Amino acid sequence: MERAELQRIVAANDWVWEKWWPALRALSPEQAGRAVGGSFPSVYATTLHLVAAEWAWLERLLGRSPEAWPGPDWAPDLARLEARWREVAGQRRAYFEQAEPLARVAYRPFTGSPSESRVWEIAVHFTTHTHFHRGQLAGQFRLLGLEPPSAHPIAFFRL
């Protein structure tokens, strides 16, 4: 995989996020926090997991393996969560401008033994992880009686 292709995969992930943030911002605090089910109980909890996971993988790429997931104090509401995501996305873009897709990154998962993955493998993992849970967000929106955004990476690639 070439660096430009890797950057495009990450850019598609960020493009889909940009389609989701307006819908997330439109939720009331009650809607965001309402337990509706899924892997995580609420839209806020699911979104926190997504942003925290992207942060954790960026930290690992930068050689700083975090020891634990950030909790709700890290971003107590969707507005702060979006700000956190924007910080992560900006740092990540800078990282991928120089990243060597085949380089190996050593890190320690939250559970288990130290591990090592190639940069491109990490990018594919965190983007597919995010997209998987975005599907759950869509279901949570529907359980709240709302229409979720319809945004998929393929639409970005068609631009």
Side-chain angles (χ1 to χ4, degrees):
M1 176 176 293
E2 299 292 327
R3 183 180 298 139
E5 295 166 318
L6 181 60
Q7 290 170 325
R8 197 154 156 76
I9 289 169
V10 175
N13 179 69
D14 292 353
W15 180 86
V16 175
W17 266 118
E18 292 294 355
K19 302 299 181 190
W20 269 89
W21 284 117
L24 291 164
R25 280 194 300 270
L27 296 175
S28 69
E30 189 279 327
Q31 289 171 313
R34 186 184 311 163
V36 292
S39 293
F40 300 91
S42 67
V43 168
Y44 165 77
T46 302
T47 309
L48 174 62
H49 174 72
L50 291 174
V51 175
E54 289 192 18
W55 167 82
W57 282 110
L58 174 64
E59 288 293 297
R60 291 168 181 151
L61 287 167
L62 295 173
R64 303 183 298 247
S65 290
E67 294 186 18
W69 288 99
D73 291 344
W74 186 67
D77 56 39
L78 286 173
R80 183 63 188 134
L81 203 47
E82 180 181 2
R84 288 282 190 181
W85 178 81
R86 292 194 181 285
E87 293 168 8
V88 167
Q91 291 173 24
R92 189 173 54 213
R93 271 189 300 279
Y95 173 85
F96 281 108
E97 285 177 10
Q98 303 299 319
E100 292 300 330
L102 298 178
R104 293 190 172 275
V105 176
Y107 58 92
R108 182 165 191 92
F110 291 131
T111 59
S113 303
S115 193
E116 187 177 278
S117 300
R118 294 184 187 275
V119 168
W120 76 264
E121 294 167 335
I122 292 171
V124 168
H125 172 73
F126 78 74
T127 58
T128 57
H129 172 265
T130 299
H131 201 62
F132 169 77
H133 285 297
R134 259 195 223 105
Q136 294 176 336
L137 276 178
Q140 289 174 324
F141 264 65
R142 288 184 181 98
L143 289 169
L144 291 168
L146 303 170
E147 185 67 27
S150 180
H152 305 281
I154 196 67
F156 172 83
F157 296 130
R158 290 176 184 152
L159 295 176

